[in-house]
Amino acid sequence: MSDKPWGGRFDAPTNAFVEAFNASTHVDARMYAEDIAGSRAHAKMLTQQNILSEDDLAAILEGLDDVEAEIEAGTFEFTIALEDVHMNIEKRLTDKIGDAGKRLHTARSRNDQVATDTRLYLRKRTDELLTRIRSLQSVLVRLAEEHADTIMPGFTHLQTAQPVTLGHHLLAYVEMFERDAARFMDARNRMNQCPLGSAALAGTTFDIDRAFTANELGFDAPTGNSLDSVSDRDFIMELLASASICSVHLSRFSEELILWMSAQFSFIELPDAFCTGSSIMPQKKNPDMPELVRGKAGRIIGGLMSILTTMKSLPLAYNKDMQEDKEAIFDAFDNLEGCLRVFADMLPDMTVHKEELHKAASSGFATATDLADALVRANVPFRDAHEIVGKSVAYCIREGIELHQMPEAACLDIDARLGVDMVQALSVEACVAARDHVGGTAPNQVRLQCELWKKKLESEYA
Ligand code: ARG
Protein backbone atom coordinates (compact mmCIF):
# COMPACT_ATOMS: atom_id res chain seq x y z
CA MET A 1 0.00 0.00 0.00
CA SER A 2 1.14 3.52 -0.78
CA ASP A 3 1.87 5.94 2.06
CA LYS A 4 -0.47 8.45 0.40
CA PRO A 5 -4.07 8.74 1.63
CA TRP A 6 -5.07 8.75 -2.06
CA GLY A 7 -2.66 5.99 -3.10
CA GLY A 8 -5.26 3.32 -3.99
CA ARG A 9 -5.45 3.91 -7.74
CA PHE A 10 -1.70 4.46 -8.21
CA ASP A 11 0.85 1.85 -9.25
CA ALA A 12 4.05 3.91 -9.18
CA PRO A 13 5.36 6.18 -6.42
CA THR A 14 5.47 9.96 -6.83
CA ASN A 15 8.58 11.36 -8.47
CA ALA A 16 10.86 12.59 -5.69
CA PHE A 17 11.16 16.12 -7.01
CA VAL A 18 7.42 16.32 -7.66
CA GLU A 19 6.80 15.30 -4.06
CA ALA A 20 8.74 18.34 -2.85
CA PHE A 21 7.42 20.65 -5.58
CA ASN A 22 3.82 19.63 -4.91
CA ALA A 23 4.02 20.06 -1.14
CA SER A 24 2.63 23.07 0.70
CA THR A 25 3.45 22.17 4.30
CA HIS A 26 6.09 24.90 4.54
CA VAL A 27 3.33 27.43 3.92
CA ASP A 28 0.16 25.89 5.32
CA ALA A 29 1.51 24.29 8.53
CA ARG A 30 0.78 27.57 10.27
CA MET A 31 -2.95 26.84 9.85
CA TYR A 32 -2.68 23.75 12.06
CA ALA A 33 -4.92 25.15 14.83
CA GLU A 34 -7.64 26.05 12.32
CA ASP A 35 -7.34 22.67 10.62
CA ILE A 36 -7.79 20.93 13.96
CA ALA A 37 -10.67 23.22 14.97
CA GLY A 38 -12.37 22.41 11.65
CA SER A 39 -11.90 18.67 12.24
CA ARG A 40 -13.35 18.88 15.75
CA ALA A 41 -16.42 20.71 14.45
CA HIS A 42 -16.82 18.27 11.54
CA ALA A 43 -16.51 15.21 13.81
CA LYS A 44 -19.03 16.60 16.29
CA MET A 45 -21.47 17.28 13.47
CA LEU A 46 -21.03 13.77 12.01
CA THR A 47 -21.74 12.31 15.44
CA GLN A 48 -24.80 14.47 16.00
CA GLN A 49 -26.07 13.23 12.63
CA ASN A 50 -25.38 9.59 13.59
CA ILE A 51 -22.75 9.26 10.88
CA LEU A 52 -19.99 8.72 13.45
CA SER A 53 -20.30 6.87 16.78
CA GLU A 54 -19.82 8.54 20.15
CA ASP A 55 -16.81 6.30 20.76
CA ASP A 56 -15.18 7.37 17.51
CA LEU A 57 -15.86 11.01 18.35
CA ALA A 58 -14.26 10.65 21.77
CA ALA A 59 -11.18 9.03 20.21
CA ILE A 60 -10.97 11.70 17.50
CA LEU A 61 -11.26 14.59 19.95
CA GLU A 62 -8.66 13.14 22.25
CA GLY A 63 -6.37 12.31 19.35
CA LEU A 64 -6.70 15.82 17.91
CA ASP A 65 -5.80 17.29 21.31
CA ASP A 66 -2.67 15.13 21.35
CA VAL A 67 -1.71 16.10 17.80
CA GLU A 68 -2.20 19.78 18.61
CA ALA A 69 -0.05 19.43 21.72
CA GLU A 70 2.68 17.73 19.68
CA ILE A 71 2.67 20.53 17.13
CA GLU A 72 2.81 23.15 19.86
CA ALA A 73 5.61 21.33 21.64
CA GLY A 74 7.57 21.22 18.38
CA THR A 75 7.75 17.41 18.32
CA PHE A 76 5.38 16.94 15.37
CA GLU A 77 7.20 16.18 12.15
CA PHE A 78 5.53 17.55 9.05
CA THR A 79 6.48 15.53 6.02
CA ILE A 80 6.30 16.65 2.40
CA ALA A 81 5.31 13.10 1.48
CA LEU A 82 1.94 13.98 3.02
CA GLU A 83 1.79 17.16 0.96
CA ASP A 84 -0.05 19.56 3.22
CA VAL A 85 -1.13 20.37 6.76
CA HIS A 86 -4.45 18.56 6.28
CA MET A 87 -3.04 15.16 5.35
CA ASN A 88 -0.17 15.42 7.83
CA ILE A 89 -2.58 15.91 10.71
CA GLU A 90 -5.05 13.30 9.51
CA LYS A 91 -2.30 10.71 9.07
CA ARG A 92 -0.85 11.36 12.52
CA LEU A 93 -4.33 11.12 14.04
CA THR A 94 -4.88 7.81 12.29
CA ASP A 95 -1.51 6.48 13.46
CA LYS A 96 -2.58 7.31 16.99
CA ILE A 97 -6.23 6.16 17.07
CA GLY A 98 -6.66 3.83 14.09
CA ASP A 99 -10.00 3.40 12.32
CA ALA A 100 -11.76 6.30 14.05
CA GLY A 101 -9.13 8.57 12.49
CA LYS A 102 -9.81 7.06 9.09
CA ARG A 103 -13.51 7.88 9.47
CA LEU A 104 -12.92 11.61 10.06
CA HIS A 105 -12.76 12.42 6.36
CA THR A 106 -16.30 11.11 5.76
CA ALA A 107 -18.38 13.77 3.96
CA ARG A 108 -15.37 16.03 3.64
CA SER A 109 -12.76 16.88 1.02
CA ARG A 110 -9.52 18.77 1.28
CA ASN A 111 -11.17 21.30 -1.01
CA ASP A 112 -13.75 22.44 1.54
CA GLN A 113 -11.25 21.81 4.30
CA VAL A 114 -8.60 24.16 2.93
CA ALA A 115 -11.21 26.82 2.11
CA THR A 116 -12.47 26.63 5.69
CA ASP A 117 -9.03 26.62 7.31
CA THR A 118 -7.84 29.59 5.26
CA ARG A 119 -10.92 31.64 6.12
CA LEU A 120 -10.56 30.83 9.82
CA TYR A 121 -6.86 31.64 9.84
CA LEU A 122 -7.25 34.90 7.94
CA ARG A 123 -10.17 35.91 10.14
CA LYS A 124 -7.90 35.66 13.16
CA ARG A 125 -5.08 37.50 11.42
CA THR A 126 -7.47 40.22 10.23
CA ASP A 127 -8.59 40.79 13.82
CA GLU A 128 -4.95 41.10 14.86
CA LEU A 129 -4.28 43.57 12.05
CA LEU A 130 -7.30 45.61 13.11
CA THR A 131 -5.91 45.83 16.64
CA ARG A 132 -2.60 47.05 15.20
CA ILE A 133 -4.35 49.68 13.09
CA ARG A 134 -6.29 50.86 16.15
CA SER A 135 -3.10 51.14 18.22
CA LEU A 136 -1.38 53.19 15.54
CA GLN A 137 -4.40 55.45 15.28
CA SER A 138 -4.33 55.96 19.06
CA VAL A 139 -0.64 56.87 18.94
CA LEU A 140 -1.35 59.39 16.16
CA VAL A 141 -4.28 60.94 18.00
CA ARG A 142 -2.14 61.45 21.11
CA LEU A 143 0.59 63.07 19.01
CA ALA A 144 -1.95 65.21 17.17
CA GLU A 145 -3.28 66.48 20.49
CA GLU A 146 0.25 67.34 21.59
CA HIS A 147 0.82 69.18 18.32
CA ALA A 148 -2.57 70.84 17.87
CA ASP A 149 -0.78 74.22 17.93
CA THR A 150 2.46 73.23 16.20
CA ILE A 151 2.58 75.20 12.97
CA MET A 152 4.26 73.78 9.88
CA PRO A 153 4.10 74.45 6.17
CA GLY A 154 1.43 72.56 4.28
CA PHE A 155 2.50 71.53 0.79
CA THR A 156 0.98 71.00 -2.60
CA HIS A 157 3.32 69.84 -5.38
CA LEU A 158 5.81 69.63 -2.47
CA GLN A 159 5.98 73.45 -2.64
CA THR A 160 5.01 75.58 0.36
CA ALA A 161 1.28 76.18 0.09
CA GLN A 162 -0.40 77.32 3.32
CA PRO A 163 0.44 76.91 7.00
CA VAL A 164 -1.16 73.94 8.72
CA THR A 165 -0.80 72.39 12.14
CA LEU A 166 1.19 69.21 12.61
CA GLY A 167 -1.77 67.84 14.56
CA HIS A 168 -3.95 68.32 11.50
CA HIS A 169 -1.39 66.61 9.29
CA LEU A 170 -1.19 63.60 11.61
CA LEU A 171 -4.98 63.34 11.78
CA ALA A 172 -5.05 63.01 7.99
CA TYR A 173 -3.36 59.63 8.49
CA VAL A 174 -5.84 58.68 11.21
CA GLU A 175 -8.57 59.15 8.60
CA MET A 176 -6.72 56.97 6.08
CA PHE A 177 -6.18 54.19 8.60
CA GLU A 178 -9.84 54.39 9.54
CA ARG A 179 -10.80 53.64 5.95
CA ASP A 180 -8.25 50.81 5.93
CA ALA A 181 -9.81 49.34 9.05
CA ALA A 182 -13.26 49.63 7.48
CA ARG A 183 -12.06 47.79 4.37
CA PHE A 184 -10.64 44.95 6.47
CA MET A 185 -13.84 44.71 8.52
CA ASP A 186 -15.94 44.70 5.39
CA ALA A 187 -13.88 41.88 3.86
CA ARG A 188 -13.98 40.01 7.17
CA ASN A 189 -17.76 40.19 7.30
CA ARG A 190 -18.12 38.93 3.75
CA MET A 191 -15.74 36.02 4.22
CA ASN A 192 -17.31 34.86 7.47
CA GLN A 193 -19.32 32.04 5.89
CA CYS A 194 -18.48 28.38 6.28
CA PRO A 195 -17.54 26.31 3.19
CA LEU A 196 -17.40 23.04 5.18
CA GLY A 197 -19.81 20.45 3.80
CA SER A 198 -19.26 21.52 0.21
CA ALA A 199 -16.93 18.52 0.05
CA ALA A 200 -15.00 18.17 -3.22
CA LEU A 201 -17.34 20.39 -5.26
CA ALA A 202 -20.91 19.11 -5.33
CA GLY A 203 -21.76 18.51 -1.69
CA THR A 204 -22.09 15.07 -0.08
CA THR A 205 -24.53 12.15 -0.02
CA PHE A 206 -24.55 12.16 3.79
CA ASP A 207 -27.21 13.88 5.85
CA ILE A 208 -24.95 16.63 7.18
CA ASP A 209 -25.85 19.69 9.25
CA ARG A 210 -23.91 22.58 7.78
CA ALA A 211 -25.43 25.15 10.11
CA PHE A 212 -23.99 23.19 13.04
CA THR A 213 -20.40 23.30 11.79
CA ALA A 214 -20.76 26.93 10.73
CA ASN A 215 -21.95 27.86 14.18
CA GLU A 216 -19.34 25.73 15.91
CA LEU A 217 -16.57 27.58 14.06
CA GLY A 218 -17.99 31.06 14.66
CA PHE A 219 -19.13 31.62 11.07
CA ASP A 220 -22.31 33.61 10.43
CA ALA A 221 -23.78 30.92 8.17
CA PRO A 222 -22.85 28.12 5.77
CA THR A 223 -22.01 29.19 2.21
CA GLY A 224 -24.84 28.83 -0.28
CA ASN A 225 -23.23 27.07 -3.24
CA SER A 226 -20.80 24.17 -2.99
CA LEU A 227 -19.07 24.91 -6.31
CA ASP A 228 -18.49 28.52 -5.36
CA SER A 229 -17.38 27.55 -1.86
CA VAL A 230 -14.42 25.49 -3.01
CA SER A 231 -13.39 27.76 -5.87
CA ASP A 232 -13.88 31.17 -4.24
CA ARG A 233 -10.77 33.06 -3.23
CA ASP A 234 -12.39 36.52 -3.31
CA PHE A 235 -11.62 36.92 0.37
CA ILE A 236 -7.90 36.63 -0.32
CA MET A 237 -8.12 39.13 -3.15
CA GLU A 238 -10.10 41.53 -0.97
CA LEU A 239 -7.78 41.21 2.00
CA LEU A 240 -4.73 41.70 -0.21
CA ALA A 241 -6.36 44.74 -1.80
CA SER A 242 -7.06 46.14 1.68
CA ALA A 243 -3.50 45.36 2.77
CA SER A 244 -2.13 46.99 -0.39
CA ILE A 245 -4.05 50.22 0.18
CA CYS A 246 -2.99 50.30 3.83
CA SER A 247 0.63 49.76 2.81
CA VAL A 248 0.32 52.60 0.29
CA HIS A 249 -0.82 54.88 3.11
CA LEU A 250 2.10 53.78 5.23
CA SER A 251 4.47 54.40 2.32
CA ARG A 252 3.23 57.97 1.95
CA PHE A 253 3.72 58.57 5.66
CA SER A 254 7.18 56.97 5.40
CA GLU A 255 8.15 59.21 2.54
CA GLU A 256 7.20 62.29 4.56
CA LEU A 257 9.14 61.16 7.62
CA ILE A 258 12.19 60.50 5.41
CA LEU A 259 11.96 63.95 3.85
CA TRP A 260 11.30 65.64 7.18
CA MET A 261 14.35 64.04 8.76
CA SER A 262 16.73 65.18 6.01
CA ALA A 263 19.10 68.06 6.84
CA GLN A 264 17.34 70.10 4.16
CA PHE A 265 14.00 69.95 6.01
CA SER A 266 15.17 69.34 9.62
CA PHE A 267 11.56 69.09 10.78
CA ILE A 268 11.96 65.96 12.90
CA GLU A 269 14.42 63.44 14.20
CA LEU A 270 13.53 59.79 14.57
CA PRO A 271 14.77 57.95 17.69
CA ASP A 272 18.16 56.21 17.56
CA ALA A 273 16.49 52.90 18.36
CA PHE A 274 14.73 53.02 14.99
CA CYS A 275 17.61 54.24 12.82
CA THR A 276 20.95 52.84 11.71
CA GLY A 277 24.31 54.27 10.77
CA SER A 278 26.56 53.87 7.78
CA SER A 279 29.53 51.52 7.70
CA ILE A 280 31.62 54.14 5.92
CA MET A 281 30.15 57.60 6.62
CA PRO A 282 30.48 58.23 10.36
CA GLN A 283 28.04 61.17 10.40
CA LYS A 284 25.08 59.21 9.05
CA LYS A 285 21.85 58.44 10.84
CA ASN A 286 19.49 56.83 8.39
CA PRO A 287 15.69 56.56 8.67
CA ASP A 288 15.74 52.84 7.87
CA MET A 289 12.38 52.00 9.38
CA PRO A 290 10.27 54.36 7.25
CA GLU A 291 12.40 53.38 4.25
CA LEU A 292 11.77 49.69 4.85
CA VAL A 293 8.06 50.28 5.46
CA ARG A 294 7.94 52.27 2.21
CA GLY A 295 9.60 49.32 0.48
CA LYS A 296 7.23 46.73 1.94
CA ALA A 297 4.39 48.31 -0.04
CA GLY A 298 6.04 46.91 -3.16
CA ARG A 299 5.90 43.28 -2.11
CA ILE A 300 2.40 43.59 -0.64
CA ILE A 301 1.07 45.07 -3.89
CA GLY A 302 2.98 42.29 -5.68
CA GLY A 303 1.00 39.79 -3.61
CA LEU A 304 -2.26 41.33 -4.80
CA MET A 305 -1.12 41.04 -8.43
CA SER A 306 -0.11 37.44 -7.76
CA ILE A 307 -3.49 36.28 -6.44
CA LEU A 308 -5.45 38.22 -9.07
CA THR A 309 -3.36 36.64 -11.81
CA THR A 310 -3.60 33.17 -10.29
CA MET A 311 -7.39 33.37 -10.14
CA LYS A 312 -7.88 35.00 -13.52
CA SER A 313 -9.59 32.62 -16.00
CA LEU A 314 -9.60 29.63 -13.61
CA PRO A 315 -12.52 27.34 -14.39
CA LEU A 316 -14.69 26.09 -11.52
CA ALA A 317 -14.20 24.50 -9.13
CA TYR A 318 -10.96 23.71 -7.25
CA ASN A 319 -7.72 23.80 -9.26
CA LYS A 320 -4.27 23.12 -7.91
CA ASP A 321 -3.21 26.61 -8.98
CA MET A 322 -5.10 27.73 -5.92
CA GLN A 323 -2.50 26.22 -3.62
CA GLU A 324 -0.51 29.34 -4.57
CA ASP A 325 -3.09 31.49 -2.76
CA LYS A 326 -1.59 31.45 0.72
CA GLU A 327 2.02 32.49 0.40
CA ALA A 328 1.34 36.05 -0.74
CA ILE A 329 -1.40 36.80 1.75
CA PHE A 330 0.55 35.34 4.68
CA ASP A 331 3.59 37.34 3.64
CA ALA A 332 1.50 40.49 3.23
CA PHE A 333 -0.13 40.10 6.64
CA ASP A 334 3.19 39.37 8.37
CA ASN A 335 4.81 42.40 6.82
CA LEU A 336 1.89 44.77 7.21
CA GLU A 337 1.62 43.82 10.86
CA GLY A 338 5.33 44.56 11.23
CA CYS A 339 4.95 47.96 9.54
CA LEU A 340 2.05 48.96 11.76
CA ARG A 341 3.91 47.82 14.84
CA VAL A 342 7.13 49.63 14.02
CA PHE A 343 5.27 52.89 13.35
CA ALA A 344 3.25 52.69 16.56
CA ASP A 345 6.44 52.02 18.55
CA MET A 346 8.60 54.63 16.80
CA LEU A 347 6.35 57.70 16.52
CA PRO A 348 5.91 58.50 20.24
CA ASP A 349 9.70 58.98 20.52
CA MET A 350 10.04 61.20 17.46
CA THR A 351 11.58 64.62 18.18
CA VAL A 352 9.69 67.48 16.55
CA HIS A 353 11.72 70.62 15.82
CA LYS A 354 8.92 73.12 16.34
CA GLU A 355 11.11 76.20 15.63
CA GLU A 356 12.20 74.77 12.30
CA LEU A 357 8.63 73.95 11.36
CA HIS A 358 7.54 77.45 12.31
CA LYS A 359 10.41 79.01 10.37
CA ALA A 360 9.57 76.95 7.28
CA ALA A 361 5.89 77.91 7.53
CA SER A 362 6.84 81.59 7.85
CA SER A 363 8.88 81.67 4.67
CA GLY A 364 7.84 80.88 1.13
CA PHE A 365 4.81 83.21 1.22
CA ALA A 366 2.52 80.67 2.86
CA THR A 367 0.25 83.52 4.01
CA ALA A 368 -0.44 84.80 0.47
CA THR A 369 -3.91 83.25 0.21
CA ASP A 370 -4.89 84.93 3.46
CA LEU A 371 -3.82 88.32 2.08
CA ALA A 372 -6.02 87.70 -0.95
CA ASP A 373 -8.87 86.75 1.39
CA ALA A 374 -8.36 90.05 3.31
CA LEU A 375 -8.69 91.99 0.03
CA VAL A 376 -11.85 90.06 -0.81
CA ARG A 377 -13.28 91.04 2.58
CA ALA A 378 -12.58 94.67 1.56
CA ASN A 379 -14.80 94.02 -1.45
CA VAL A 380 -12.03 93.39 -4.01
CA PRO A 381 -13.12 90.63 -6.46
CA PHE A 382 -11.11 87.45 -5.82
CA ARG A 383 -9.42 87.39 -9.22
CA ASP A 384 -8.20 90.99 -8.73
CA ALA A 385 -7.05 90.11 -5.22
CA HIS A 386 -5.11 87.14 -6.60
CA GLU A 387 -3.34 89.42 -9.10
CA ILE A 388 -2.52 92.06 -6.45
CA VAL A 389 -1.03 89.47 -4.10
CA GLY A 390 0.87 87.89 -6.97
CA LYS A 391 2.51 91.25 -7.68
CA SER A 392 3.21 91.70 -3.97
CA VAL A 393 4.96 88.35 -3.83
CA ALA A 394 7.07 89.24 -6.86
CA TYR A 395 8.01 92.52 -5.15
CA CYS A 396 8.97 90.71 -1.93
CA ILE A 397 11.12 88.20 -3.83
CA ARG A 398 12.98 91.12 -5.47
CA GLU A 399 13.44 92.85 -2.12
CA GLY A 400 14.22 89.69 -0.16
CA ILE A 401 11.45 90.29 2.40
CA GLU A 402 8.24 88.58 3.54
CA LEU A 403 4.73 89.88 2.83
CA HIS A 404 4.15 91.23 6.33
CA GLN A 405 7.32 93.37 5.99
CA MET A 406 6.06 95.35 2.98
CA PRO A 407 6.24 99.12 3.45
CA GLU A 408 3.10 101.20 2.95
CA ALA A 409 4.48 102.94 -0.14
CA ALA A 410 5.06 99.61 -1.84
CA CYS A 411 1.54 98.48 -1.06
CA LEU A 412 0.01 101.63 -2.50
CA ASP A 413 2.27 101.40 -5.50
CA ILE A 414 1.01 97.92 -6.33
CA ASP A 415 -2.66 98.75 -5.80
CA ALA A 416 -4.50 101.45 -3.88
CA ARG A 417 -6.79 98.80 -2.42
CA LEU A 418 -3.86 96.99 -0.74
CA GLY A 419 -3.74 98.34 2.84
CA VAL A 420 -0.54 98.13 4.88
CA ASP A 421 -2.76 97.02 7.81
CA MET A 422 -3.67 93.97 5.71
CA VAL A 423 -0.06 92.88 5.22
CA GLN A 424 0.86 93.68 8.81
CA ALA A 425 -1.95 91.49 10.10
CA LEU A 426 -0.48 88.45 8.35
CA SER A 427 0.87 85.71 10.63
CA VAL A 428 0.99 81.96 10.36
CA GLU A 429 -0.84 81.75 13.70
CA ALA A 430 -3.70 83.84 12.29
CA CYS A 431 -3.72 81.73 9.12
CA VAL A 432 -4.29 78.44 10.91
CA ALA A 433 -6.62 79.88 13.58
CA ALA A 434 -8.87 81.33 10.87
CA ARG A 435 -9.54 77.94 9.30
CA ASP A 436 -11.92 77.11 12.07
CA HIS A 437 -14.58 74.90 10.54
CA VAL A 438 -15.19 71.15 10.37
CA GLY A 439 -12.15 69.61 8.74
CA GLY A 440 -10.09 72.83 8.96
CA THR A 441 -6.56 73.06 10.32
CA ALA A 442 -7.28 75.43 13.27
CA PRO A 443 -5.92 74.20 16.62
CA ASN A 444 -9.50 74.30 17.95
CA GLN A 445 -10.65 71.92 15.24
CA VAL A 446 -7.70 69.61 15.74
CA ARG A 447 -8.48 69.34 19.45
CA LEU A 448 -12.13 68.72 18.66
CA GLN A 449 -11.26 65.97 16.18
CA CYS A 450 -8.89 64.40 18.72
CA GLU A 451 -11.74 64.20 21.22
CA LEU A 452 -13.98 62.55 18.63
CA TRP A 453 -11.27 60.06 17.67
CA LYS A 454 -10.53 59.17 21.29
CA LYS A 455 -14.19 58.35 21.89
CA LYS A 456 -14.41 56.36 18.69
CA LEU A 457 -11.23 54.41 19.31
CA GLU A 458 -12.22 53.64 22.89
CA SER A 459 -15.50 52.18 21.68
CA GLU A 460 -13.66 50.13 19.02
CA TYR A 461 -11.56 48.56 21.73
CA ALA A 462 -14.52 47.93 24.05
N1 ARG B 1 -2.78 21.83 -0.34
C1 ARG B 1 -3.96 22.13 -1.07
C2 ARG B 1 -4.17 23.63 -1.25
O1 ARG B 1 -3.58 24.36 -0.50
C3 ARG B 1 -5.16 21.56 -0.38
C4 ARG B 1 -6.28 21.22 -1.29
C5 ARG B 1 -5.88 20.14 -2.18
N2 ARG B 1 -6.98 19.54 -2.85
C6 ARG B 1 -6.77 18.72 -3.85
N3 ARG B 1 -7.78 18.18 -4.39
N4 ARG B 1 -5.56 18.44 -4.27
O2 ARG B 1 -4.87 24.10 -2.11
Side-chain angles (χ1 to χ4, degrees), residues 22 24 28 31 83-86 109-111 114 233 318-320 322-326:
N22 186 46
S24 59
D28 60 29
M31 305 196 303
E83 200 176 317
D84 54 27
V85 63
H86 324 291
S109 152
R110 267 185 303 149
N111 296 349
V114 71
R233 294 294 183 272
Y318 179 84
N319 299 271
K320 187 75 176 204
M322 288 157 70
Q323 181 166 287
E324 291 294 309
D325 64 353
K326 292 167 213 69

Side-chain angles (χ1 to χ4, degrees), residues 275-330:
C275 295
T276 70
S278 155
S279 55
I280 175 169
M281 297 170 282
Q283 86 284 11
K284 293 283 291 225
K285 178 173 165 182
N286 297 324
D288 294 53
M289 284 309 101
E291 291 176 88
L292 194 54
V293 169
R294 185 177 58 181
K296 295 285 188 192
R299 69 194 281 173
I300 295 172
I301 294 166
L304 173 61
M305 295 309 117
S306 154
I307 185 66
L308 287 172
T309 314
T310 298
M311 295 310 293
K312 179 187 170 296
S313 316
L314 269 193
L316 303 189
Y318 179 84
N319 299 271
K320 187 75 176 204
D321 317 42
M322 288 157 70
Q323 181 166 287
E324 291 294 309
D325 64 353
K326 292 167 213 69
E327 214 156 347
I329 182 94
F330 291 175

Side-chain angles (χ1 to χ4, degrees), residues 43 60 143 254 449:
I60 287 171
L143 269 180
S254 298
Q449 289 290 335

